[in-house]
Amino acid sequence: MTCAGEAQSAPRCPSAVIAGEQRAMLLTDDAVSIEARYEPSPTLGAEPSDQLALVVGHGFSGALERPALRRVASAFQQRTAVITFSFRGHGRSGGRSTVGDREVLDLAAAVRWARRLGHRRVATVGFSMGGSVVIRQAALYGKTDEIQPLQDVHEGERTGRSPGRTDGVLGSPGYANGAAPARSAKGAASAGATDGAAPDAVVAVSSPARWYYRGTAPMRRLHWAITRPTGRLVSRYGLRTRIDPGGWAVDPLSPVAAAPLIAPTPLLIVHGDRDPYFPLDHPRMLASAADPSTSELWIEPGYGHAETAASPDLLARIADWATAHA
């Protein structure tokens, strides 16, 4: 398969500088096809190498063509180049959703695509589930050398307060559908830094801090949709989201455990004080766990949840922060 083919293998395709809007089917490290869209910077004549690219990860049940994500992309694209995509199990992407675990592979493929398009600076922005993914991906593929080898990281507690094991970098025997041999998280970070998957800045919006949270009615409904056969049927046909019925054989690294591993990459945590899914203890846990010298916390008055509730002003400030810090 070549870069000119229907699917593009993110690690293998040669670098290229391409002007204008582009659409592609990216191929992840575990061979899942991911639909993606590139919208260039509005600055006429600007070279991609001089412009930041924002890679945007949507929330659960979102997708590339959903109106909320298109509105976010339009707001960001007024300032810089944007890549949007559908996580596995969403939209026209292949595979099934693992609700934040192997989605780090999808994000890594999109970041690599931004590099191939010529962008030297790439920031990731994730909403809700996508927020947990950008935190975890930055920890696993980032520039730090402090990540423990996978075999030395124990299974996470359900509170998410311990450094839970993750199988999201490559398939492993610990994951129900893993097909590839496990490699260390530290090795994945080193590989990510050298093959273009490491982001230069990270923005997590409306992200959970820990797994299995059921403290609000929307999250109880979400757990029903994920864990019950009837719920997965509703998700497939009602939300157009295909969920892996195998679930997690081993808890992935939780966002709060991943947060301290992101430094020195800058991290912005954004959360609304009217979020109906995750109360304010979630962003505060993430901020407390992150390196204070490289992270910021914005508690937004009146803001609800994820991309659907994000105002044009908030999106503009996020894009400006990423431009200044990546």
Side-chain angles (χ1 to χ4, degrees):
M1 185 173 294
T2 67
C3 292
E6 180 180 355
Q8 298 187 32
S9 177
R12 299 187 185 93
C13 291
S15 298
V17 176
I18 304 174
E21 181 177 322
Q22 303 287 325
R23 288 178 180 265
M25 291 298 289
L26 309 177
L27 194 64
T28 66
D29 285 344
D30 62 344
V32 174
S33 60
I34 300 297
E35 64 167 348
R37 177 177 174 179
Y38 170 76
E39 296 167 275
S41 165
T43 305
L44 294 177
E47 293 292 332
S49 60
D50 299 328
Q51 299 292 320
L52 171 71
L54 292 177
V55 178
V56 185
H58 59 75
F60 179 78
S61 80
L64 178 63
E65 300 298 344
R66 291 289 177 92
L69 188 61
R70 298 276 31 97
R71 185 176 63 85
V72 169
S74 177
F76 286 163
Q77 203 259 340
Q78 294 178 29
R79 283 169 159 73
T80 191
V82 182
I83 287 178
T84 47
F85 64 96
S86 295
F87 282 117
R88 63 186 60 204
H90 294 74
R92 294 184 178 88
S93 291
R96 294 182 178 182
S97 174
T98 61
V99 199
D101 181 10
R102 297 172 74 87
E103 282 75 8
V104 296
L105 299 172
D106 311 344
L107 182 63
V111 172
R112 292 186 186 111
W113 189 40
R115 305 287 189 195
R116 290 206 313 278
L117 291 170
H119 291 278
R120 295 178 181 174
R121 295 187 300 143
V122 180
T124 55
V125 183
F127 294 87
S128 193
M129 180 189 78
S132 70
V133 174
V134 299
I135 291 173
R136 298 185 63 250
Q137 193 266 349
L140 294 167
Y141 287 83
K143 300 170 184 178
T144 178
D145 60 359
E146 298 300 324
I147 301 179
Q148 295 177 339
L150 187 62
Q151 62 268 23
D152 294 340
V153 180
H154 301 292
E155 180 177 347
E157 297 175 355
R158 292 201 168 194
T159 60
R161 295 177 185 273
S162 69
R165 174 176 172 175
T166 180
D167 298 294
V169 178
L170 283 178
S172 83
Y175 191 77
N177 294 324
R183 77 173 167 181
S184 72
K186 182 175 180 179
S190 300
T194 58
D195 73 0
D200 299 298
V202 180
V203 183
V205 186
S206 304
S207 173
R210 56 194 186 273
W211 304 136
Y212 304 105
Y213 177 73
R214 293 180 173 86
T216 59
M219 286 306 298
R220 289 190 289 274
R221 289 194 295 269
L222 180 61
H223 277 86
W224 173 82
I226 293 169
T227 61
R228 303 294 181 88
T230 303
R232 290 193 293 271
L233 192 66
V234 170
S235 295
R236 183 180 185 92
Y237 293 103
L239 302 177
R240 291 176 288 175
T241 302
R242 308 174 306 279
I243 301 171
D244 187 342
W248 295 340
V250 181
D251 288 359
L253 184 76
S254 68
V256 72
L261 308 178
I262 295 175
T265 302
L267 168 64
L268 173 62
I269 301 162
V270 182
H271 212 90
D273 65 358
R274 295 187 181 179
D275 191 312
Y277 286 80
F278 304 113
L280 292 178
D281 63 307
H282 285 261
R284 287 169 177 157
M285 283 180 66
L286 292 172
S288 296
D291 185 333
S293 67
T294 58
S295 62
E296 296 182 36
L297 171 62
W298 294 357
I299 300 296
E300 295 294 310
Y303 174 42
H305 184 72
E307 59 264 51
T308 303
S311 68
D313 172 72
L314 175 59
L315 295 173
R317 287 189 286 120
I318 288 172
D320 290 343
W321 182 94
T323 301
H325 289 81

